[in-house]
Amino acid sequence: MGSFTLTHERPDCFYDRFERKSELQHQTHYCPGCGHGIVHKLLAEAIDGLGVQDRTILVSPVGCSVFGYYYFDVGNVQAAHGRAPAVATALKRSLPDKIVVAYQGDGDLGAIGTAEIVHAANRGEAITVIFVNNGIYGMTGGQMAPTTPLGKKTATTPFGRDALNEGYPLHICELLASLEAPVFLERVGLGNNKQIMGAAKVLRKAMENQVKGLGFSLVEVLSPCPTIWKMDPVEAQRFVREEMAAVFGIGNYRDRTATATPRPARPAPPKLEELPGILGLGNGDRDRLPCGETSAVDYRIRVAGFGGQGVLMLGEVLAEAGLDAGYHVSWLPSYGPEMRSGTSNCHVRLSSRPIDSPLVSQPNVLLALNEPSLHKFLPGVEPGGIVLYNGDAIPEGCGRGDVRMVALPFTRIADQIGVSKAANIVILGALLEATDLVENEQATAALHKLVKSPKWFDIDVQAMERGREEMRKTTMPVSDDYLWGV
Amino acid sequence: MTSKPDRGLVEFNSEECKGCGLCVEACPPKVLRLSEQLNHYGYHTAEYLGAGCTGCGICFFACPEPGGIAVLRREVAA
Amino acid sequence: MNAQLTKGNEAIVKAAVLAGARGFYGYPITPASEIAEAAALYFPLAGGVFVQAESEVAAINMLYGGAAAGGRCMTASSGPGISLMQEGFSYLAGAELPCVIADIMRGGPGLGNIAPEQGDYNQIVKGGGHGNYRTLVLAPDSVQEMADLTTLAFDLAERYRNPAVVLADGFIGQMMEPVTFADPRPVAAPPEWAVTGTRESRHNLVSSIYLEPDKLEQHVRKLEAKYQEAERRETRVECWRTDDADVVLVGYGIVGRILKAVVEQARRHGMRVGLLRPITLYPFPVEEVRALSRRARAFAVVEMSTGQLRDDVRLALEGRRPVEFYSRVGGNAPSAEEVLAFVEAKFEALRESEVLVHG
């Protein structure tokens, strides 16, 4: 008699006792003959064989295999129904050198989680997906799955699955094979010894792909569900072999493992002290007056016009220059479809005191870049306020004796310097000339900060100067006693 | 005794076996069967007939329970 | 660092990066899209992860994965997207995963519109998902607070192992104000419970399933105890000129700002009006509301929703004082002038002419 050595035994990456279960700690919770147990074993063999137990994170689904974490002695995350690929995506992106496995059933992956699997595959997430297809909802008690073969009676197809009513069985491997990114897609079965041994090889390859740093790998396993199919385990195995495999062709649907290149490693993160610069904070800032170190003023400005006139940008220049000048400032835009067409307006406040409401319902400065804006906002202007209107004259019926109104053809002035889009900055110049809102230098600095192109910056500086000139030629109605709302 | 000794040996863990019979079906030399007796869970567990195991390991892969089956092979004399 | 003129939505992202967040999983939606856009730029530059998900459902579940790995991570959306995320909120709270979600509210229900509203109050503050959980909810009223409360949200999320929400509206998200940002914080090592794919963390499990009733009850009681602790420790509120207030206005977010203008104007008109602005909506400042009820004769809730905040004020007051209510919805904001007119009409009897004389 020679001695025997163990060649096949409980894989190391299974727990010895399933302590997370309260009872039957030596057995799985699966029914006798369930394919999940076999798939678990094949996966465990692959993890052991590749030596990655300490690097593996298993994402378990909703369905019978929800309790994958009872058995696998690896990192475990349990996901919401169908979302395992999304959860796995973030795990893998966060921990790129770890082996992330999403384990899903057919309801989970093929119905409620169709979007998640398609997009994870399409992004080429470098994860491994084990897709157990038994053509039925097991956990919930035998309802139709997206993969239920035509004609099969289930709890929710009592007359048999009818293509007219329930559509056709979903072929996941074929579906995903229409995508460019997946590296490896293969369907295997558990229908007999040969299929099982083939499945073991394929599962290992799908795991190995991830160890090599290749992209998305998915193995679909045609798997028996004897209990819900109401068959004994051997009969269920035959059903997999003869009937499931007839609907879902066993074989490889994508194998680019020979040509796929490992994903490049992420560059090293920047140093902590580099972060403010990366975020655009504190770079090239001028020294500023601290907020509140100004004379007592409260500019409540409304800028309005049509989309494309630079209404929001003009408001931003005012706010930026105001901040530079030591004011408390706020800028509040109208947004949405209005950004693309129709009217556009913004609320700007420059104040020597902390700003309560950034909404300007009663402006003391109105910059109206077109006539509808003048009509809309003029009634709200505070008595004594300034109104600059983009036109040759104040339109009839728009007069108000208690505000200081000036009409100038700002767009035409901008046309004269060759850029009608600079009308907003011409108005800015006029406003600066009419008030002591901010210094020229502060407005220029704001433009410098906001206008990236040197060419446009030069045009804007010119436009601002033209606005000042035109305003100087104009007689502003005087109201010396106006205290800017303070 | 002139017959060659068996190359393999199969061991069952009756704590884990649920009597599904997949190993019996899978075994190429057909040396496994379901026992007449019940384990304390009430399953007819699988058992080895006692001779003829080749140590191929197919039953191990066919068994859905993590540690339901262990397979051993005879060490070949050097 | 000088104060930087910053858009509310961008302030969230910059503050998150400075607070050590390195994962952003998002889906664009107006008026929150600038958050995803800024995250797409800054998170990778900071050595982090940005993924544009296929849906808000996927985004919140990516957040679940990112948080399970132990890193600071976040997402952002607006009403319709937040509705889709409610599944994830429940799972995140159930699995005790810290993370931050920004909700930049828009008009609803349904597709509603993209203008500012505060109609997500109930679905965020009361918990729109299933089960006994809460989210910690912070409501900024300025761009500075968008930054500061994002930082705080990460800290609170970690302290309580629970999702924290920065609940703002389209105005706060879209407007620009000067912001002074905090100094950058290093990325902390993953917490002990995180699943990081190491030998040490191998036994860790992130899950929200407790099949046995006793186990689940125990878990729910544990969550409940956390929320009770948060209620004791984390309430934040701004009381503005409430010391002598006969009427306390209650509003949060942009409405809080508008109400400050109302308070000033009302006082000029001879009414002692103050403002209570909840900064945490959950935990709700119950004690602070009750404390003010000792001096104040009445409360007036102003919100951009139809009484969602008012319900909490009423619950806090338990009938101690009358609660008047003014709201605008659909994307309209109440102007300071209209709220003032409402306050004057409701509380004319409380006007004190002496205040004008001495004021």
Side-chain angles (χ1 to χ4, degrees):
Chain A
M1 294 292 289
S3 59
F4 286 93
T5 51
L6 269 170
T7 53
H8 298 83
E9 61 174 331
R10 168 193 288 267
D12 288 338
C13 76
F14 281 128
Y15 284 112
D16 290 334
R17 281 171 69 91
F18 309 132
E19 287 176 359
R20 282 174 174 147
K21 298 176 71 178
S22 62
E23 51 193 13
L24 300 180
Q25 294 190 346
H26 292 283
Q27 297 188 335
T28 65
H29 70 290
Y30 297 114
C31 306
C34 174
H36 278 301
I38 300 175
V39 179
H40 281 21
K41 188 177 279 181
L42 303 185
L43 176 60
E45 285 282 303
I47 292 170
D48 280 5
L50 293 163
V52 293
Q53 182 183 7
D54 286 338
R55 290 169 60 194
T56 297
I57 299 171
L58 179 68
V59 183
S60 40
V62 170
C64 288
S65 48
V66 61
F67 296 122
Y69 57 82
Y70 281 175
Y71 312 117
F72 284 93
D73 183 6
V74 299
N76 279 285
V77 176
Q78 199 286 315
H81 201 16
R83 319 298 174 219
V87 173
T89 290
L91 281 163
K92 185 70 181 180
R93 299 276 188 123
S94 304
L95 306 164
D97 59 336
K98 304 305 176 185
I99 308 303
V100 179
V101 183
Y103 188 110
Q104 300 186 264
D106 42 35
D108 196 84
L109 181 144
I112 196 167
T114 321
E116 282 77 11
I117 192 62
V118 167
H119 287 275
N122 193 47
R123 288 189 301 266
E125 299 295 346
I127 59 174
T128 304
V129 180
I130 313 294
F131 168 39
V132 178
N133 176 3
N134 56 20
I136 198 77
Y137 281 36
M139 179 70 107
T140 46
Q143 299 81 11
M144 185 193 75
T147 48
T148 297
L150 285 178
K152 285 291 157 201
K153 287 185 181 175
T154 71
T156 49
T157 54
F159 309 108
R161 182 175 188 164
D162 177 356
L164 289 178
N165 205 45
E166 287 91 22
Y168 295 85
L170 200 61
H171 290 74
I172 289 295
C173 280
E174 291 85 335
L175 189 76
L176 298 183
S178 71
L179 306 175
E180 191 56 35
V183 165
F184 186 78
L185 302 166
E186 185 151 341
R187 185 181 290 126
V188 299
L190 302 178
N192 57 23
N193 292 348
K194 192 179 162 203
Q195 286 186 0
I196 291 171
M197 298 316 290
K201 282 200 192 95
V202 171
L203 257 158
R204 181 178 162 118
K205 179 160 184 177
M207 291 293 289
E208 197 174 12
N209 291 342
Q210 191 175 169
V211 175
K212 288 177 179 166
L214 307 181
F216 182 89
S217 296
L218 177 141
V219 182
E220 175 175 346
V221 186
L222 303 180
S223 176
C225 179
T227 300
I228 303 289
W229 291 357
K230 298 184 175 64
M231 297 176 189
D232 72 49
V234 174
E235 170 73 0
Q237 203 173 45
R238 183 202 59 77
F239 186 84
V240 167
R241 188 170 64 239
E242 294 176 6
E243 302 203 33
M244 292 286 285
V247 179
F248 301 99
I250 288 175
N252 183 274
Y253 290 84
R254 170 70 55 82
D255 188 353
R256 293 184 180 161
T257 51
T259 51
T261 48
R263 300 195 141 208
R266 272 213 300 270
K271 294 195 186 75
L272 200 60
E273 58 269 26
E274 293 171 333
L275 275 185
I278 287 169
L279 296 173
L281 305 176
N283 279 357
D285 268 4
R286 291 150 45 86
D287 285 336
R288 283 185 192 138
L289 291 170
C291 277
E293 303 264 314
T294 52
S295 55
V297 293
D298 182 14
Y299 291 100
R300 297 188 303 278
I301 306 167
R302 201 74 186 254
V303 189
F306 62 78
Q309 281 187 312
V311 166
L312 302 186
M313 193 265 188
L314 171 52
E316 205 178 330
V317 175
L318 287 168
E320 195 69 64
L323 180 62
D324 205 23
Y327 294 119
H328 295 273
V329 300
S330 66
W331 172 92
L332 177 72
S334 59
Y335 62 85
E338 295 175 339
M339 293 186 325
R340 289 172 269 281
S341 65
T343 61
S344 170
N345 74 85
C346 63
H347 312 233
V348 180
R349 287 194 65 179
L350 281 67
S351 175
S352 50
R353 295 171 57 195
I355 290 166
D356 43 37
S357 175
L359 279 83
V360 175
S361 43
Q362 291 186 336
N364 53 21
V365 173
L366 171 62
L367 306 178
L369 277 73
N370 65 3
E371 191 177 332
S373 300
L374 186 67
H375 284 292
K376 187 170 177 184
F377 295 110
L378 182 63
V381 176
E382 195 168 82
I386 289 182
V387 177
L388 298 186
Y389 170 63
N390 182 20
D392 292 311
I394 301 295
E396 268 189 47
C398 267
R400 257 185 69 174
D402 60 343
V403 297
R404 295 177 290 167
M405 294 178 75
V406 172
L408 279 171
F410 295 107
T411 304
R412 191 130 35 80
I413 298 165
D415 284 340
Q416 288 164 9
I417 58 173
V419 190
S420 57
K421 278 172 81 175
N424 59 342
I425 307 301
V426 181
I427 295 190
L428 173 69
L431 179 66
L432 298 188
E433 185 64 29
T435 65
D436 54 2
L437 193 90
V438 293
E439 300 294 330
N440 217 41
E441 185 198 357
Q442 288 150 349
T444 310
L447 282 171
H448 188 72
K449 189 162 186 178
L450 295 173
V451 181
K452 303 294 178 209
S453 138
K455 180 188 141 203
W456 274 101
F457 173 72
D458 290 344
I459 289 169
D460 281 342
V461 169
Q462 202 187 336
M464 193 162 73
E465 191 44 45
R466 286 286 290 123
R468 278 190 177 275
E469 283 167 22
E470 291 297 325
M471 195 66 199
R472 274 196 290 272
K473 293 186 221 156
T474 310
T475 314
M476 182 76 166
V478 181
S479 174
D480 285 341
D481 57 348
Y482 186 65
L483 292 174
W484 293 108
V486 172
Chain B
M1 295 285 281
T2 53
S3 63
K4 283 211 281 188
D6 289 333
R7 278 177 290 162
L9 182 65
V10 58
E11 290 177 351
F12 290 92
N13 181 342
S14 64
E15 277 290 301
E16 296 198 29
C17 180
K18 291 173 179 164
C20 71
L22 289 177
C23 57
V24 177
E25 179 74 9
C27 177
K30 298 294 172 204
V31 295
L32 308 179
R33 71 174 175 198
L34 290 181
S35 156
E36 293 291 311
Q37 288 173 344
L38 300 171
N39 70 1
H40 72 279
Y41 301 122
Y43 294 123
H44 290 285
T45 56
E47 63 183 12
Y48 179 36
L49 291 177
C53 176
T54 63
C56 70
I58 293 283
C59 58
F60 169 83
F61 290 102
C63 173
E65 291 301 311
I69 293 179
V71 177
L72 302 89
R73 270 188 206 151
R74 186 181 296 280
E75 281 177 1
V76 182
Chain C
M1 264 187 272
N2 263 330
Q4 307 281 325
L5 194 63
T6 309
K7 200 171 207 184
N9 282 344
E10 282 185 23
I12 285 182
V13 174
K14 292 182 178 184
V17 170
L18 292 169
R22 292 296 181 272
F24 188 101
Y25 307 93
Y27 188 84
I29 183 171
T30 308
S33 295
E34 294 86 355
I35 302 179
E37 290 167 11
L41 175 65
Y42 294 125
F43 271 71
L45 289 176
V49 174
F50 171 85
V51 181
Q52 178 166 331
E54 56 272 28
S55 69
E56 287 89 348
V57 177
I60 196 84
N61 282 284
M62 288 178 188
L63 197 55
Y64 183 96
R72 286 192 159 188
C73 52
M74 71 174 300
T75 187
S77 191
S78 185
I82 294 290
S83 298
L84 281 175
M85 289 183 179
Q86 290 295 353
E87 169 192 88
F89 278 97
S90 175
Y91 277 79
L92 286 159
E96 297 189 89
L97 291 176
C99 58
V100 172
I101 300 105
D103 177 3
I104 311 301
M105 291 182 282
R106 58 186 252 175
L111 207 47
N113 65 26
I114 58 172
E117 214 190 59
Q118 295 181 324
D120 290 359
Y121 186 94
N122 278 352
Q123 76 156 334
I124 288 295
V125 176
K126 304 299 178 183
H130 58 285
N132 293 292
Y133 78 94
R134 306 299 297 254
T135 53
L136 305 167
V137 189
L138 303 167
D141 78 334
S142 64
V143 181
Q144 182 67 54
E145 278 197 354
M146 286 288 249
D148 296 345
L149 295 186
T150 297
T151 310
L152 178 62
F154 278 108
D155 292 342
L156 290 181
E158 267 168 28
R159 190 176 305 157
Y160 292 91
R161 284 191 61 185
N162 199 73
V165 181
V166 176
L167 183 67
D169 54 75
F171 281 132
I172 307 278
Q174 296 292 325
M175 70 191 221
M176 288 204 290
E177 288 183 317
V179 178
T180 306
F181 285 95
D183 289 332
R185 286 199 238 166
V187 175
E192 273 184 11
W193 51 260
V195 176
T196 55
T198 58
R199 175 182 282 272
E200 298 70 38
S201 71
R202 213 169 69 193
H203 299 292
N204 289 349
L205 166 65
V206 168
S207 170
S208 62
I209 184 171
Y210 296 86
L211 218 51
E212 291 170 44
D214 287 347
K215 291 268 173 65
L216 183 56
E217 181 167 41
Q218 200 181 0
H219 179 62
V220 171
R221 295 294 179 210
K222 179 187 166 196
L223 298 182
E224 186 184 27
K226 283 198 313 193
Y227 301 137
Q228 285 165 350
E229 191 193 337
E231 285 169 12
R232 283 192 300 275
R233 291 181 53 185
E234 307 301 346
T235 302
R236 285 163 173 81
V237 68
E238 180 186 14
C239 290
W240 172 263
R241 305 197 71 173
T242 49
D243 286 350
D244 64 343
D246 294 322
V247 177
V248 173
L249 305 179
V250 185
Y252 71 97
I254 190 70
V255 176
R257 298 285 293 274
I258 296 166
L259 293 184
K260 277 188 182 170
V262 174
V263 167
E264 296 304 310
Q265 291 175 26
R267 283 181 175 266
R268 268 184 244 138
H269 292 202
M271 303 185 80
R272 284 202 284 250
V273 175
L275 163 69
L276 182 145
R277 177 175 71 90
I279 295 173
T280 52
L281 295 173
Y282 183 80
F284 193 76
V286 173
E287 291 308 320
E288 289 81 353
V289 170
R290 285 183 191 159
L292 292 183
S293 75
R294 282 181 214 119
R295 169 71 179 80
R297 318 235 312 249
F299 286 71
V301 176
V302 182
E303 61 185 286
M304 285 156 61
S305 47
T306 55
Q308 300 187 24
L309 171 67
R310 177 190 56 188
D311 289 350
D312 270 342
V313 175
R314 281 180 172 165
L315 282 171
L317 283 169
E318 292 176 326
R320 288 173 172 86
R321 291 287 180 270
V323 178
E324 298 292 345
F325 179 60
Y326 188 81
S327 73
R328 294 296 302 272
V329 290
N332 288 313
S335 71
E337 292 75 23
E338 68 186 271
V339 178
L340 180 66
F342 161 79
V343 169
E344 288 184 319
K346 286 286 176 191
F347 304 110
E348 180 57 41
L350 299 179
R351 192 192 298 275
E352 290 172 311
S353 52
E354 313 91 81
V355 175
L356 263 187
V357 177
H358 301 299

